[in-house]
Amino acid sequence: MAVGARLASEPDLAAQYGVGINTLRRAIRELRERGVVDTVPAKGTFVIAVPEPEGDASHGDE
């Protein structure tokens, strides 16, 4: 998702990915802690950064 994009509602995301609402909330909390999303009360959750892929070989670790 692009920076500035708004995530779907928690119930919609939980249904889309086939997970429970509590699992989805833990995932969003983790993304918030990593600085990837931010939640604005009464507005929604928005992407604020695009994370680096884990294990990215472009760092010269060869």
mmCIF file of all heavy atoms in Angstrom:
data_model
loop_
_atom_site.group_PDB
_atom_site.id
_atom_site.type_symbol
_atom_site.label_atom_id
_atom_site.label_comp_id
_atom_site.label_asym_id
_atom_site.label_seq_id
_atom_site.Cartn_x
_atom_site.Cartn_y
_atom_site.Cartn_z
ATOM 1 N N MET A 1 0.834 -1.182 0.000
ATOM 2 C CA MET A 1 0.000 0.000 0.000
ATOM 3 C C MET A 1 0.880 1.246 0.000
ATOM 4 O O MET A 1 1.969 1.246 0.555
ATOM 5 C CB MET A 1 -0.902 0.016 1.236
ATOM 6 C CG MET A 1 -1.911 -1.106 1.279
ATOM 7 S SD MET A 1 -3.057 -0.958 2.672
ATOM 8 C CE MET A 1 -4.196 0.221 2.009
ATOM 9 N N ALA A 2 0.375 2.273 -0.570
ATOM 10 C CA ALA A 2 1.128 3.516 -0.665
ATOM 11 C C ALA A 2 1.004 4.336 0.620
ATOM 12 O O ALA A 2 0.016 4.236 1.342
ATOM 13 C CB ALA A 2 0.593 4.348 -1.837
ATOM 14 N N VAL A 3 2.020 5.143 0.877
ATOM 15 C CA VAL A 3 1.976 6.053 2.022
ATOM 16 C C VAL A 3 0.749 6.948 1.876
ATOM 17 O O VAL A 3 0.461 7.464 0.793
ATOM 18 C CB VAL A 3 3.275 6.886 2.097
ATOM 19 C CG1 VAL A 3 3.162 7.965 3.153
ATOM 20 C CG2 VAL A 3 4.463 5.982 2.382
ATOM 21 N N GLY A 4 0.006 7.095 2.953
ATOM 22 C CA GLY A 4 -1.218 7.889 2.942
ATOM 23 C C GLY A 4 -2.477 7.066 2.737
ATOM 24 O O GLY A 4 -3.576 7.559 2.959
ATOM 25 N N ALA A 5 -2.318 5.803 2.323
ATOM 26 C CA ALA A 5 -3.483 4.953 2.089
ATOM 27 C C ALA A 5 -4.163 4.622 3.413
ATOM 28 O O ALA A 5 -3.518 4.429 4.430
ATOM 29 C CB ALA A 5 -3.073 3.678 1.379
ATOM 30 N N ARG A 6 -5.476 4.539 3.371
ATOM 31 C CA ARG A 6 -6.262 4.197 4.560
ATOM 32 C C ARG A 6 -6.562 2.705 4.521
ATOM 33 O O ARG A 6 -7.007 2.178 3.494
ATOM 34 C CB ARG A 6 -7.563 4.991 4.563
ATOM 35 C CG ARG A 6 -8.428 4.738 5.770
ATOM 36 C CD ARG A 6 -9.628 5.696 5.757
ATOM 37 N NE ARG A 6 -10.465 5.473 6.890
ATOM 38 C CZ ARG A 6 -11.625 4.814 6.845
ATOM 39 N NH1 ARG A 6 -12.078 4.355 5.699
ATOM 40 N NH2 ARG A 6 -12.325 4.645 7.933
ATOM 41 N N LEU A 7 -6.326 2.028 5.636
ATOM 42 C CA LEU A 7 -6.644 0.616 5.743
ATOM 43 C C LEU A 7 -8.148 0.442 5.864
ATOM 44 O O LEU A 7 -8.854 1.324 6.359
ATOM 45 C CB LEU A 7 -5.980 0.005 6.978
ATOM 46 C CG LEU A 7 -4.548 -0.495 6.845
ATOM 47 C CD1 LEU A 7 -3.587 0.598 6.446
ATOM 48 C CD2 LEU A 7 -4.099 -1.152 8.124
ATOM 49 N N ALA A 8 -8.614 -0.715 5.439
ATOM 50 C CA ALA A 8 -10.031 -1.053 5.613
ATOM 51 C C ALA A 8 -10.317 -1.187 7.107
ATOM 52 O O ALA A 8 -9.401 -1.223 7.936
ATOM 53 C CB ALA A 8 -10.339 -2.351 4.884
ATOM 54 N N SER A 9 -11.578 -1.302 7.461
ATOM 55 C CA SER A 9 -11.953 -1.452 8.869
ATOM 56 C C SER A 9 -11.393 -2.764 9.427
ATOM 57 O O SER A 9 -11.119 -3.710 8.682
ATOM 58 C CB SER A 9 -13.473 -1.440 9.014
ATOM 59 O OG SER A 9 -14.016 -2.634 8.468
ATOM 60 N N GLU A 10 -11.237 -2.816 10.741
ATOM 61 C CA GLU A 10 -10.722 -4.025 11.377
ATOM 62 C C GLU A 10 -11.562 -5.255 11.044
ATOM 63 O O GLU A 10 -11.006 -6.295 10.678
ATOM 64 C CB GLU A 10 -10.591 -3.823 12.884
ATOM 65 C CG GLU A 10 -9.469 -2.884 13.250
ATOM 66 C CD GLU A 10 -9.343 -2.670 14.750
ATOM 67 O OE1 GLU A 10 -10.227 -3.113 15.521
ATOM 68 O OE2 GLU A 10 -8.342 -2.046 15.154
ATOM 69 N N PRO A 11 -12.889 -5.189 11.136
ATOM 70 C CA PRO A 11 -13.685 -6.378 10.789
ATOM 71 C C PRO A 11 -13.502 -6.803 9.328
ATOM 72 O O PRO A 11 -13.433 -7.992 9.025
ATOM 73 C CB PRO A 11 -15.128 -5.954 11.060
ATOM 74 C CG PRO A 11 -15.018 -4.838 12.049
ATOM 75 C CD PRO A 11 -13.731 -4.133 11.710
ATOM 76 N N ASP A 12 -13.407 -5.834 8.432
ATOM 77 C CA ASP A 12 -13.206 -6.155 7.021
ATOM 78 C C ASP A 12 -11.847 -6.811 6.789
ATOM 79 O O ASP A 12 -11.737 -7.784 6.042
ATOM 80 C CB ASP A 12 -13.336 -4.908 6.144
ATOM 81 C CG ASP A 12 -14.777 -4.422 6.022
ATOM 82 O OD1 ASP A 12 -15.712 -5.171 6.401
ATOM 83 O OD2 ASP A 12 -14.965 -3.280 5.561
ATOM 84 N N LEU A 13 -10.791 -6.262 7.418
ATOM 85 C CA LEU A 13 -9.460 -6.849 7.265
ATOM 86 C C LEU A 13 -9.401 -8.257 7.859
ATOM 87 O O LEU A 13 -8.813 -9.163 7.268
ATOM 88 C CB LEU A 13 -8.403 -5.962 7.922
ATOM 89 C CG LEU A 13 -8.057 -4.677 7.182
ATOM 90 C CD1 LEU A 13 -7.153 -3.799 8.054
ATOM 91 C CD2 LEU A 13 -7.378 -4.987 5.865
ATOM 92 N N ALA A 14 -10.014 -8.436 9.027
ATOM 93 C CA ALA A 14 -10.027 -9.756 9.663
ATOM 94 C C ALA A 14 -10.707 -10.778 8.753
ATOM 95 O O ALA A 14 -10.201 -11.889 8.562
ATOM 96 C CB ALA A 14 -10.716 -9.687 11.019
ATOM 97 N N ALA A 15 -11.820 -10.402 8.169
ATOM 98 C CA ALA A 15 -12.530 -11.304 7.257
ATOM 99 C C ALA A 15 -11.720 -11.563 5.993
ATOM 100 O O ALA A 15 -11.622 -12.700 5.524
ATOM 101 C CB ALA A 15 -13.895 -10.715 6.896
ATOM 102 N N GLN A 16 -11.105 -10.527 5.447
ATOM 103 C CA GLN A 16 -10.323 -10.653 4.219
ATOM 104 C C GLN A 16 -9.167 -11.626 4.396
ATOM 105 O O GLN A 16 -8.878 -12.415 3.508
ATOM 106 C CB GLN A 16 -9.781 -9.287 3.804
ATOM 107 C CG GLN A 16 -8.939 -9.320 2.549
ATOM 108 C CD GLN A 16 -8.420 -7.933 2.158
ATOM 109 O OE1 GLN A 16 -8.865 -6.916 2.676
ATOM 110 N NE2 GLN A 16 -7.478 -7.905 1.244
ATOM 111 N N TYR A 17 -8.500 -11.585 5.558
ATOM 112 C CA TYR A 17 -7.334 -12.428 5.788
ATOM 113 C C TYR A 17 -7.657 -13.690 6.578
ATOM 114 O O TYR A 17 -6.756 -14.484 6.855
ATOM 115 C CB TYR A 17 -6.229 -11.613 6.465
ATOM 116 C CG TYR A 17 -5.648 -10.593 5.514
ATOM 117 C CD1 TYR A 17 -6.017 -9.252 5.586
ATOM 118 C CD2 TYR A 17 -4.773 -10.977 4.510
ATOM 119 C CE1 TYR A 17 -5.504 -8.323 4.690
ATOM 120 C CE2 TYR A 17 -4.264 -10.050 3.609
ATOM 121 C CZ TYR A 17 -4.637 -8.729 3.710
ATOM 122 O OH TYR A 17 -4.137 -7.815 2.810
ATOM 123 N N GLY A 18 -8.920 -13.874 6.950
ATOM 124 C CA GLY A 18 -9.329 -15.091 7.633
ATOM 125 C C GLY A 18 -8.719 -15.242 9.017
ATOM 126 O O GLY A 18 -8.356 -16.347 9.420
ATOM 127 N N VAL A 19 -8.611 -14.139 9.743
ATOM 128 C CA VAL A 19 -8.062 -14.173 11.098
ATOM 129 C C VAL A 19 -9.084 -13.576 12.059
ATOM 130 O O VAL A 19 -10.004 -12.873 11.657
ATOM 131 C CB VAL A 19 -6.724 -13.393 11.205
ATOM 132 C CG1 VAL A 19 -5.674 -14.012 10.299
ATOM 133 C CG2 VAL A 19 -6.908 -11.920 10.886
ATOM 134 N N GLY A 20 -8.892 -13.858 13.336
ATOM 135 C CA GLY A 20 -9.761 -13.285 14.351
ATOM 136 C C GLY A 20 -9.460 -11.806 14.545
ATOM 137 O O GLY A 20 -8.369 -11.318 14.233
ATOM 138 N N ILE A 21 -10.438 -11.099 15.086
ATOM 139 C CA ILE A 21 -10.279 -9.664 15.298
ATOM 140 C C ILE A 21 -9.124 -9.360 16.241
ATOM 141 O O ILE A 21 -8.392 -8.390 16.041
ATOM 142 C CB ILE A 21 -11.613 -9.021 15.778
ATOM 143 C CG1 ILE A 21 -11.549 -7.500 15.659
ATOM 144 C CG2 ILE A 21 -11.956 -9.437 17.186
ATOM 145 C CD1 ILE A 21 -11.694 -6.980 14.275
ATOM 146 N N ASN A 22 -8.921 -10.189 17.272
ATOM 147 C CA ASN A 22 -7.819 -9.945 18.203
ATOM 148 C C ASN A 22 -6.468 -10.122 17.525
ATOM 149 O O ASN A 22 -5.532 -9.361 17.787
ATOM 150 C CB ASN A 22 -7.928 -10.846 19.430
ATOM 151 C CG ASN A 22 -9.071 -10.437 20.329
ATOM 152 O OD1 ASN A 22 -9.419 -9.269 20.419
ATOM 153 N ND2 ASN A 22 -9.679 -11.406 20.996
ATOM 154 N N THR A 23 -6.353 -11.103 16.639
ATOM 155 C CA THR A 23 -5.113 -11.297 15.879
ATOM 156 C C THR A 23 -4.850 -10.097 14.989
ATOM 157 O O THR A 23 -3.726 -9.592 14.906
ATOM 158 C CB THR A 23 -5.200 -12.583 15.036
ATOM 159 O OG1 THR A 23 -5.403 -13.689 15.923
ATOM 160 C CG2 THR A 23 -3.951 -12.793 14.207
ATOM 161 N N LEU A 24 -5.887 -9.621 14.340
ATOM 162 C CA LEU A 24 -5.756 -8.454 13.466
ATOM 163 C C LEU A 24 -5.321 -7.234 14.268
ATOM 164 O O LEU A 24 -4.425 -6.496 13.855
ATOM 165 C CB LEU A 24 -7.097 -8.200 12.765
ATOM 166 C CG LEU A 24 -7.150 -7.129 11.690
ATOM 167 C CD1 LEU A 24 -7.344 -5.748 12.168
ATOM 168 C CD2 LEU A 24 -6.212 -7.360 10.592
ATOM 169 N N ARG A 25 -5.896 -7.043 15.446
ATOM 170 C CA ARG A 25 -5.528 -5.892 16.273
ATOM 171 C C ARG A 25 -4.076 -5.976 16.734
ATOM 172 O O ARG A 25 -3.389 -4.952 16.804
ATOM 173 C CB ARG A 25 -6.475 -5.779 17.461
ATOM 174 C CG ARG A 25 -7.836 -5.279 17.039
ATOM 175 C CD ARG A 25 -8.810 -5.191 18.171
ATOM 176 N NE ARG A 25 -10.070 -4.634 17.677
ATOM 177 C CZ ARG A 25 -11.232 -4.815 18.260
ATOM 178 N NH1 ARG A 25 -11.316 -5.518 19.379
ATOM 179 N NH2 ARG A 25 -12.314 -4.291 17.742
ATOM 180 N N ARG A 26 -3.602 -7.192 17.048
ATOM 181 C CA ARG A 26 -2.189 -7.353 17.421
ATOM 182 C C ARG A 26 -1.291 -6.998 16.240
ATOM 183 O O ARG A 26 -0.249 -6.369 16.410
ATOM 184 C CB ARG A 26 -1.904 -8.780 17.901
ATOM 185 C CG ARG A 26 -2.351 -9.027 19.324
ATOM 186 C CD ARG A 26 -1.804 -10.330 19.875
ATOM 187 N NE ARG A 26 -2.151 -11.498 19.079
ATOM 188 C CZ ARG A 26 -3.202 -12.282 19.285
ATOM 189 N NH1 ARG A 26 -4.046 -12.013 20.262
ATOM 190 N NH2 ARG A 26 -3.419 -13.316 18.510
ATOM 191 N N ALA A 27 -1.683 -7.397 15.037
ATOM 192 C CA ALA A 27 -0.890 -7.095 13.845
ATOM 193 C C ALA A 27 -0.830 -5.587 13.603
ATOM 194 O O ALA A 27 0.241 -5.040 13.312
ATOM 195 C CB ALA A 27 -1.472 -7.814 12.629
ATOM 196 N N ILE A 28 -1.954 -4.909 13.736
ATOM 197 C CA ILE A 28 -1.967 -3.455 13.548
ATOM 198 C C ILE A 28 -1.129 -2.777 14.626
ATOM 199 O O ILE A 28 -0.390 -1.837 14.344
ATOM 200 C CB ILE A 28 -3.406 -2.912 13.513
ATOM 201 C CG1 ILE A 28 -4.088 -3.369 12.220
ATOM 202 C CG2 ILE A 28 -3.428 -1.388 13.626
ATOM 203 C CD1 ILE A 28 -5.544 -3.004 12.101
ATOM 204 N N ARG A 29 -1.218 -3.270 15.863
ATOM 205 C CA ARG A 29 -0.399 -2.707 16.944
ATOM 206 C C ARG A 29 1.086 -2.865 16.622
ATOM 207 O O ARG A 29 1.876 -1.937 16.805
ATOM 208 C CB ARG A 29 -0.737 -3.370 18.280
ATOM 209 C CG ARG A 29 0.020 -2.760 19.443
ATOM 210 C CD ARG A 29 -0.406 -3.307 20.805
ATOM 211 N NE ARG A 29 -0.273 -4.750 20.870
ATOM 212 C CZ ARG A 29 -1.276 -5.603 21.131
ATOM 213 N NH1 ARG A 29 -2.504 -5.154 21.343
ATOM 214 N NH2 ARG A 29 -1.064 -6.893 21.173
ATOM 215 N N GLU A 30 1.482 -4.024 16.102
ATOM 216 C CA GLU A 30 2.874 -4.266 15.717
ATOM 217 C C GLU A 30 3.300 -3.308 14.608
ATOM 218 O O GLU A 30 4.394 -2.730 14.648
ATOM 219 C CB GLU A 30 3.052 -5.714 15.254
ATOM 220 C CG GLU A 30 4.436 -6.042 14.780
ATOM 221 C CD GLU A 30 5.473 -6.105 15.881
ATOM 222 O OE1 GLU A 30 5.115 -6.332 17.050
ATOM 223 O OE2 GLU A 30 6.663 -5.929 15.560
ATOM 224 N N LEU A 31 2.447 -3.107 13.618
ATOM 225 C CA LEU A 31 2.767 -2.162 12.542
ATOM 226 C C LEU A 31 2.888 -0.740 13.075
ATOM 227 O O LEU A 31 3.745 0.025 12.645
ATOM 228 C CB LEU A 31 1.702 -2.229 11.446
ATOM 229 C CG LEU A 31 1.675 -3.513 10.630
ATOM 230 C CD1 LEU A 31 0.449 -3.547 9.731
ATOM 231 C CD2 LEU A 31 2.951 -3.671 9.817
ATOM 232 N N ARG A 32 2.037 -0.390 14.045
ATOM 233 C CA ARG A 32 2.109 0.937 14.646
ATOM 234 C C ARG A 32 3.432 1.097 15.401
ATOM 235 O O ARG A 32 4.105 2.122 15.282
ATOM 236 C CB ARG A 32 0.925 1.142 15.594
ATOM 237 C CG ARG A 32 0.703 2.574 15.996
ATOM 238 C CD ARG A 32 -0.528 2.791 16.867
ATOM 239 N NE ARG A 32 -1.745 2.206 16.324
ATOM 240 C CZ ARG A 32 -2.402 1.173 16.877
ATOM 241 N NH1 ARG A 32 -1.993 0.624 17.989
ATOM 242 N NH2 ARG A 32 -3.488 0.707 16.304
ATOM 243 N N GLU A 33 3.829 0.065 16.156
ATOM 244 C CA GLU A 33 5.085 0.116 16.907
ATOM 245 C C GLU A 33 6.295 0.211 15.982
ATOM 246 O O GLU A 33 7.302 0.819 16.338
ATOM 247 C CB GLU A 33 5.208 -1.106 17.814
ATOM 248 C CG GLU A 33 4.242 -1.071 18.988
ATOM 249 C CD GLU A 33 4.186 -2.373 19.762
ATOM 250 O OE1 GLU A 33 4.891 -3.350 19.394
ATOM 251 O OE2 GLU A 33 3.422 -2.425 20.744
ATOM 252 N N ARG A 34 6.196 -0.358 14.803
ATOM 253 C CA ARG A 34 7.292 -0.301 13.823
ATOM 254 C C ARG A 34 7.274 0.980 13.005
ATOM 255 O O ARG A 34 8.136 1.201 12.158
ATOM 256 C CB ARG A 34 7.215 -1.499 12.878
ATOM 257 C CG ARG A 34 7.533 -2.806 13.548
ATOM 258 C CD ARG A 34 7.475 -3.928 12.570
ATOM 259 N NE ARG A 34 7.744 -5.203 13.215
ATOM 260 C CZ ARG A 34 8.228 -6.248 12.593
ATOM 261 N NH1 ARG A 34 8.491 -6.188 11.292
ATOM 262 N NH2 ARG A 34 8.441 -7.363 13.249
ATOM 263 N N GLY A 35 6.281 1.825 13.219
ATOM 264 C CA GLY A 35 6.211 3.091 12.507
ATOM 265 C C GLY A 35 5.698 2.980 11.089
ATOM 266 O O GLY A 35 5.953 3.845 10.257
ATOM 267 N N VAL A 36 4.952 1.921 10.806
ATOM 268 C CA VAL A 36 4.440 1.708 9.452
ATOM 269 C C VAL A 36 3.053 2.318 9.279
ATOM 270 O O VAL A 36 2.725 2.833 8.218
ATOM 271 C CB VAL A 36 4.414 0.193 9.118
ATOM 272 C CG1 VAL A 36 3.787 -0.071 7.761
ATOM 273 C CG2 VAL A 36 5.822 -0.388 9.175
ATOM 274 N N VAL A 37 2.227 2.252 10.316
ATOM 275 C CA VAL A 37 0.887 2.827 10.256
ATOM 276 C C VAL A 37 0.658 3.728 11.461
ATOM 277 O O VAL A 37 1.370 3.640 12.459
ATOM 278 C CB VAL A 37 -0.222 1.742 10.205
ATOM 279 C CG1 VAL A 37 -0.066 0.845 8.989
ATOM 280 C CG2 VAL A 37 -0.265 0.928 11.489
ATOM 281 N N ASP A 38 -0.353 4.569 11.363
ATOM 282 C CA ASP A 38 -0.778 5.394 12.484
ATOM 283 C C ASP A 38 -2.304 5.389 12.491
ATOM 284 O O ASP A 38 -2.934 5.418 11.430
ATOM 285 C CB ASP A 38 -0.264 6.829 12.340
ATOM 286 C CG ASP A 38 -0.488 7.656 13.594
ATOM 287 O OD1 ASP A 38 -0.539 7.085 14.699
ATOM 288 O OD2 ASP A 38 -0.600 8.884 13.459
ATOM 289 N N THR A 39 -2.875 5.320 13.676
ATOM 290 C CA THR A 39 -4.321 5.314 13.818
ATOM 291 C C THR A 39 -4.778 6.675 14.325
ATOM 292 O O THR A 39 -4.259 7.180 15.317
ATOM 293 C CB THR A 39 -4.761 4.202 14.790
ATOM 294 O OG1 THR A 39 -4.314 2.948 14.268
ATOM 295 C CG2 THR A 39 -6.274 4.169 14.943
ATOM 296 N N VAL A 40 -5.729 7.252 13.622
ATOM 297 C CA VAL A 40 -6.310 8.538 13.997
ATOM 298 C C VAL A 40 -7.734 8.260 14.474
ATOM 299 O O VAL A 40 -8.553 7.762 13.694
ATOM 300 C CB VAL A 40 -6.328 9.511 12.792
ATOM 301 C CG1 VAL A 40 -6.947 10.836 13.182
ATOM 302 C CG2 VAL A 40 -4.934 9.687 12.223
ATOM 303 N N PRO A 41 -8.002 8.524 15.756
ATOM 304 C CA PRO A 41 -9.349 8.246 16.264
ATOM 305 C C PRO A 41 -10.438 8.872 15.395
ATOM 306 O O PRO A 41 -10.325 10.015 14.958
ATOM 307 C CB PRO A 41 -9.330 8.888 17.670
ATOM 308 C CG PRO A 41 -7.884 8.857 18.056
ATOM 309 C CD PRO A 41 -7.133 9.106 16.775
ATOM 310 N N ALA A 42 -11.473 8.092 15.148
ATOM 311 C CA ALA A 42 -12.646 8.493 14.356
ATOM 312 C C ALA A 42 -12.325 8.740 12.882
ATOM 313 O O ALA A 42 -13.191 9.187 12.130
ATOM 314 C CB ALA A 42 -13.334 9.708 14.968
ATOM 315 N N LYS A 43 -11.090 8.470 12.459
ATOM 316 C CA LYS A 43 -10.718 8.661 11.051
ATOM 317 C C LYS A 43 -10.280 7.342 10.406
ATOM 318 O O LYS A 43 -10.607 7.068 9.268
ATOM 319 C CB LYS A 43 -9.583 9.681 10.915
ATOM 320 C CG LYS A 43 -9.937 11.064 11.398
ATOM 321 C CD LYS A 43 -10.934 11.735 10.491
ATOM 322 C CE LYS A 43 -11.225 13.129 10.986
ATOM 323 N NZ LYS A 43 -12.251 13.791 10.215
ATOM 324 N N GLY A 44 -9.468 6.554 11.114
ATOM 325 C CA GLY A 44 -9.005 5.292 10.566
ATOM 326 C C GLY A 44 -7.521 5.090 10.785
ATOM 327 O O GLY A 44 -6.856 5.856 11.482
ATOM 328 N N THR A 45 -7.010 4.025 10.174
ATOM 329 C CA THR A 45 -5.593 3.694 10.260
ATOM 330 C C THR A 45 -4.975 3.921 8.889
ATOM 331 O O THR A 45 -5.509 3.463 7.875
ATOM 332 C CB THR A 45 -5.403 2.233 10.723
ATOM 333 O OG1 THR A 45 -6.013 2.085 12.017
ATOM 334 C CG2 THR A 45 -3.939 1.860 10.821
ATOM 335 N N PHE A 46 -3.851 4.633 8.879
ATOM 336 C CA PHE A 46 -3.234 5.066 7.632
ATOM 337 C C PHE A 46 -1.784 4.600 7.551
ATOM 338 O O PHE A 46 -1.082 4.562 8.565
ATOM 339 C CB PHE A 46 -3.265 6.595 7.540
ATOM 340 C CG PHE A 46 -4.657 7.155 7.532
ATOM 341 C CD1 PHE A 46 -5.320 7.420 8.726
ATOM 342 C CD2 PHE A 46 -5.312 7.394 6.337
ATOM 343 C CE1 PHE A 46 -6.610 7.926 8.730
ATOM 344 C CE2 PHE A 46 -6.609 7.904 6.333
ATOM 345 C CZ PHE A 46 -7.258 8.164 7.531
ATOM 346 N N VAL A 47 -1.346 4.290 6.344
ATOM 347 C CA VAL A 47 0.050 3.938 6.104
ATOM 348 C C VAL A 47 0.870 5.216 6.192
ATOM 349 O O VAL A 47 0.547 6.217 5.534
ATOM 350 C CB VAL A 47 0.222 3.294 4.708
ATOM 351 C CG1 VAL A 47 1.691 3.002 4.428
ATOM 352 C CG2 VAL A 47 -0.616 2.031 4.596
ATOM 353 N N ILE A 48 1.941 5.191 7.012
ATOM 354 C CA ILE A 48 2.794 6.376 7.133
ATOM 355 C C ILE A 48 4.218 6.100 6.657
ATOM 356 O O ILE A 48 5.024 7.012 6.542
ATOM 357 C CB ILE A 48 2.808 6.936 8.568
ATOM 358 C CG1 ILE A 48 3.306 5.904 9.572
ATOM 359 C CG2 ILE A 48 1.433 7.462 8.945
ATOM 360 C CD1 ILE A 48 3.533 6.459 10.972
ATOM 361 N N ALA A 49 4.536 4.821 6.384
ATOM 362 C CA ALA A 49 5.859 4.453 5.876
ATOM 363 C C ALA A 49 5.765 3.088 5.222
ATOM 364 O O ALA A 49 4.911 2.281 5.567
ATOM 365 C CB ALA A 49 6.888 4.421 6.999
ATOM 366 N N VAL A 50 6.637 2.840 4.275
ATOM 367 C CA VAL A 50 6.711 1.527 3.638
ATOM 368 C C VAL A 50 7.947 0.839 4.197
ATOM 369 O O VAL A 50 9.058 1.356 4.058
ATOM 370 C CB VAL A 50 6.790 1.654 2.104
ATOM 371 C CG1 VAL A 50 6.907 0.291 1.457
ATOM 372 C CG2 VAL A 50 5.575 2.395 1.576
ATOM 373 N N PRO A 51 7.767 -0.312 4.872
ATOM 374 C CA PRO A 51 8.911 -0.976 5.506
ATOM 375 C C PRO A 51 9.868 -1.573 4.488
ATOM 376 O O PRO A 51 9.475 -1.927 3.374
ATOM 377 C CB PRO A 51 8.266 -2.070 6.346
ATOM 378 C CG PRO A 51 6.985 -2.360 5.651
ATOM 379 C CD PRO A 51 6.537 -1.054 5.048
ATOM 380 N N GLU A 52 11.134 -1.674 4.894
ATOM 381 C CA GLU A 52 12.135 -2.360 4.076
ATOM 382 C C GLU A 52 11.822 -3.852 4.110
ATOM 383 O O GLU A 52 11.471 -4.383 5.165
ATOM 384 C CB GLU A 52 13.534 -2.142 4.673
ATOM 385 C CG GLU A 52 14.019 -0.721 4.576
ATOM 386 C CD GLU A 52 14.572 -0.382 3.206
ATOM 387 O OE1 GLU A 52 15.116 -1.295 2.537
ATOM 388 O OE2 GLU A 52 14.438 0.771 2.788
ATOM 389 N N PRO A 53 11.990 -4.551 2.996
ATOM 390 C CA PRO A 53 11.789 -6.004 3.023
ATOM 391 C C PRO A 53 12.817 -6.661 3.930
ATOM 392 O O PRO A 53 13.991 -6.250 3.926
ATOM 393 C CB PRO A 53 11.989 -6.430 1.577
ATOM 394 C CG PRO A 53 11.935 -5.188 0.772
ATOM 395 C CD PRO A 53 12.266 -4.045 1.685
ATOM 396 N N GLU A 54 12.385 -7.640 4.714
ATOM 397 C CA GLU A 54 13.331 -8.347 5.581
ATOM 398 C C GLU A 54 14.221 -9.220 4.721
ATOM 399 O O GLU A 54 13.801 -9.764 3.702
ATOM 400 C CB GLU A 54 12.570 -9.191 6.602
ATOM 401 C CG GLU A 54 11.878 -8.330 7.628
ATOM 402 C CD GLU A 54 11.288 -9.141 8.755
ATOM 403 O OE1 GLU A 54 11.826 -10.235 9.033
ATOM 404 O OE2 GLU A 54 10.299 -8.683 9.322
ATOM 405 N N GLY A 55 15.488 -9.333 5.133
ATOM 406 C CA GLY A 55 16.434 -10.171 4.392
ATOM 407 C C GLY A 55 16.839 -9.587 3.062
ATOM 408 O O GLY A 55 17.213 -10.299 2.152
ATOM 409 N N ASP A 56 16.768 -8.278 2.923
ATOM 410 C CA ASP A 56 17.131 -7.599 1.676
ATOM 411 C C ASP A 56 18.619 -7.768 1.405
ATOM 412 O O ASP A 56 19.451 -7.354 2.189
ATOM 413 C CB ASP A 56 16.772 -6.105 1.771
ATOM 414 C CG ASP A 56 16.948 -5.365 0.472
ATOM 415 O OD1 ASP A 56 17.371 -5.984 -0.516
ATOM 416 O OD2 ASP A 56 16.680 -4.152 0.444
ATOM 417 N N ALA A 57 18.964 -8.411 0.306
ATOM 418 C CA ALA A 57 20.349 -8.711 -0.033
ATOM 419 C C ALA A 57 21.086 -7.516 -0.632
ATOM 420 O O ALA A 57 22.284 -7.598 -0.923
ATOM 421 C CB ALA A 57 20.403 -9.889 -1.006
ATOM 422 N N SER A 58 20.430 -6.380 -0.782
ATOM 423 C CA SER A 58 21.064 -5.226 -1.413
ATOM 424 C C SER A 58 21.982 -4.466 -0.474
ATOM 425 O O SER A 58 22.556 -3.453 -0.846
ATOM 426 C CB SER A 58 19.993 -4.279 -1.964
ATOM 427 O OG SER A 58 19.263 -3.710 -0.899
ATOM 428 N N HIS A 59 22.148 -4.944 0.751
ATOM 429 C CA HIS A 59 22.986 -4.256 1.724
ATOM 430 C C HIS A 59 24.441 -4.712 1.673
ATOM 431 O O HIS A 59 25.241 -4.319 2.503
ATOM 432 C CB HIS A 59 22.456 -4.438 3.135
ATOM 433 C CG HIS A 59 21.108 -3.810 3.344
ATOM 434 N ND1 HIS A 59 20.857 -2.485 3.061
ATOM 435 C CD2 HIS A 59 19.942 -4.302 3.797
ATOM 436 C CE1 HIS A 59 19.606 -2.206 3.338
ATOM 437 N NE2 HIS A 59 19.026 -3.291 3.767
ATOM 438 N N GLY A 60 24.801 -5.558 0.709
ATOM 439 C CA GLY A 60 26.177 -5.986 0.584
ATOM 440 C C GLY A 60 26.594 -7.044 1.584
ATOM 441 O O GLY A 60 27.760 -7.132 1.968
ATOM 442 N N ASP A 61 25.665 -7.865 2.030
ATOM 443 C CA ASP A 61 25.958 -8.910 2.994
ATOM 444 C C ASP A 61 26.421 -10.197 2.311
ATOM 445 O O ASP A 61 26.213 -11.276 2.813
ATOM 446 C CB ASP A 61 24.706 -9.210 3.840
ATOM 447 C CG ASP A 61 24.289 -8.046 4.686
ATOM 448 O OD1 ASP A 61 25.148 -7.189 4.946
ATOM 449 O OD2 ASP A 61 23.112 -7.982 5.076
ATOM 450 N N GLU A 62 27.026 -10.104 1.177
ATOM 451 C CA GLU A 62 27.391 -11.292 0.404
ATOM 452 C C GLU A 62 28.659 -11.918 0.876
ATOM 453 O O GLU A 62 29.628 -11.408 1.213
ATOM 454 C CB GLU A 62 27.508 -10.921 -1.086
ATOM 455 C CG GLU A 62 26.195 -10.426 -1.583
ATOM 456 C CD GLU A 62 26.334 -9.795 -2.975
ATOM 457 O OE1 GLU A 62 27.387 -9.900 -3.611
ATOM 458 O OE2 GLU A 62 25.360 -9.206 -3.404
#
